[in-house]
C-alpha cells in the first residue's frame, strides 16, 4: 500500500466511530485502492456537514492539489473553531501551496493571510511543530519586502530544536542550503534520516505535512 493511502487510513481510523461504519469501510477501501475521487464522493454525499467530514474532505482535496476546494473546507473549520491551531495551520498551509502554483503577482496577495493563519496557529499553540516548520520555510523563501528573512526563519527553527529533533534538522538543512552550504545541509539530512529510523512514525507525520 502506498504511504499516501496509509496516512488517510490512519487519520480515518483514529475516528472510526464518527462515521457510519459502512460508509467508513467504503471510504477506507477506496483509499486503499488510491481512488481518492471516489472517497471524496462518499464523504461529500454523507458527511459534508459534519466537522470531521469537512476535515477529511479538506485533507483529501489537499492531497489531490485541489487547493480552492481544500481552502473552502478549512475556512469553514476555522469559522467553527477559530482558536484551533490545527485548523489555522491547515488553512495557512493550503493557501501556501496554492501560492506556489499561481503566478507571483497573484501569490503576493495571499502572503498576508498565509502568515496570519500560520502565526495564529503558533500563538495558539507555541509547540505546534508543523506550523513552526511551515513558518521557518516560508520566511526563508519570502523576500524581505514581503516580510521574509533569515532571522525570522531561524527563530522558528531554534524553537523546533526544543520540540522535535527531526524537524529541527530538516529545517536547518533548508537554511544551510539557502546559504549555499550544501555539504552541511547534506549532513543535517543524514542525521535526520538516522533519527527517523529510530521512530518511523515521524516519517509518516513529516510526509503528511511536508512532502
Amino acid at each position: 500500500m502506498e504511504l499516501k493511502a496509509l496516512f488517510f487510513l490512519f487519520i480515518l481510523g483514529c475516528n472510526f466511530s464518527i462515521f457510519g461504519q459502512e460508509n467508513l469501510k467504503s471510504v477506507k477501501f477506496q483509499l486503499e485502492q488510491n481512488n481518492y475521487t471516489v472517497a471524496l464522493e462518499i464523504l461529500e454525499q454523507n458527511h459534508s456537514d459534519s466537522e470531521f467530514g469537512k476535515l477529511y474532505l479538506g485533507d483529501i482535496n489537499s492531497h489531490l492539489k485541489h487547493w480552492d476546494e481544500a481552502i473552502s473546507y478549512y475556512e469553514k473549520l476555522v469559522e467553527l473553531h477559530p482558536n484551533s491551531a490545527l485548523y489555522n495551520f491547515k488553512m495557512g498551509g493550503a493557501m501556501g501551496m496554492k501560492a506556489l502554483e499561481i503566478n507571483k503577482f497573484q501569490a503576493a496577495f495571499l502572503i498576508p493571510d498565509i502568515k496570519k493563519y500560520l502565526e495564529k496557529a503558533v500563538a495558539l499553540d507555541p509547540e505546534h511543530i508543523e506550523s513552526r516548520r511551515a513558518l521557518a520555510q516560508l520566511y526563508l523563501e519570502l523576500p524581505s519586502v514581503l516580510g521574509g528573512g533569515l532571522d525570522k526563519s531561524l527563530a522558528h527553527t531554534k524553537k523546533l530544536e526544543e520540540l522535535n529533533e527531526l524537524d529541527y534538522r530538516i529545517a536547518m538543512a533548508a537554511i544551510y542550503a539557502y546559504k549555499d552550504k550544501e555539504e552541511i545541509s547534506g549532513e543535517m539530512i543524514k542525521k535526520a534520516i538516522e533519527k527517523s529510523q529510530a521512530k518511523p512514525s515521524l516519517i509518516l507525520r513529516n510526509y503528511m505535512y511536508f512532502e
Side-chain angles (χ1 to χ4, degrees), residues 42-118:
I42 296 171
L43 289 167
E44 287 171 344
Q45 292 171 6
N46 297 282
H47 305 289
S48 61
D49 293 331
S50 71
E51 179 178 346
F52 285 96
K54 291 183 178 71
L55 175 59
Y56 299 143
L57 284 164
D59 287 346
I60 296 174
N61 272 297
S62 289
H63 167 70
L64 295 172
K65 299 184 179 182
H66 298 164
W67 302 119
D68 287 334
E69 289 84 350
I71 289 168
S72 70
Y73 285 114
Y74 294 146
E75 186 173 26
K76 292 173 184 175
L77 290 170
V78 170
E79 290 173 356
L80 188 63
H81 295 292
N83 292 326
S84 167
L86 175 64
Y87 294 163
N88 277 277
F89 161 70
K90 286 180 177 287
M91 182 69 175
M95 294 181 77
M97 293 305 298
K98 177 181 177 179
L100 292 175
E101 298 188 358
I102 57 180
N103 68 60
K104 292 182 179 180
F105 180 78
Q106 292 174 314
F109 287 97
L110 293 179
I111 297 302
D113 281 336
I114 295 169
K115 291 193 292 186
K116 178 185 74 173
Y117 287 112
L118 293 177

Side-chain angles (χ1 to χ4, degrees), residues 184-200:
I184 301 176
S185 177
E187 284 298 316
M188 292 300 256
I189 290 293
K190 181 180 178 181
K191 290 178 180 179
I193 292 171
E194 291 171 353
K195 185 68 178 177
S196 68
Q197 289 173 340
K199 194 172 182 181

Side-chain angles (χ1 to χ4, degrees), residues 89-204:
F89 161 70
K90 286 180 177 287
M91 182 69 175
M95 294 181 77
M97 293 305 298
K98 177 181 177 179
L100 292 175
E101 298 188 358
I102 57 180
N103 68 60
K104 292 182 179 180
F105 180 78
Q106 292 174 314
F109 287 97
L110 293 179
I111 297 302
D113 281 336
I114 295 169
K115 291 193 292 186
K116 178 185 74 173
Y117 287 112
L118 293 177
E119 290 286 5
K120 184 174 181 179
V122 168
L124 290 166
D125 181 3
E127 297 186 355
H128 197 266
I129 295 170
E130 290 77 22
S131 295
R132 294 278 184 188
R133 273 279 305 280
L135 283 166
Q137 191 68 30
L138 176 68
Y139 287 131
L140 188 65
E141 296 184 8
L142 276 182
S144 59
V145 69
L146 292 177
L150 182 59
D151 289 344
K152 291 182 179 180
S153 178
L154 277 169
H156 287 289
T157 301
K158 288 295 184 183
K159 184 64 178 179
L160 284 171
E161 187 175 15
E162 304 170 18
L163 301 175
N164 185 284
E165 187 177 352
L166 176 61
D167 290 276
Y168 167 71
R169 292 186 185 283
I170 294 173
M172 283 302 298
I175 287 173
Y176 281 119
Y178 173 82
K179 296 170 69 175
D180 293 324
K181 296 184 178 180
E182 298 294 342
E183 185 174 344
I184 301 176
S185 177
E187 284 298 316
M188 292 300 256
I189 290 293
K190 181 180 178 181
K191 290 178 180 179
I193 292 171
E194 291 171 353
K195 185 68 178 177
S196 68
Q197 289 173 340
K199 194 172 182 181
S201 62
L202 292 175
I203 302 173
L204 181 59

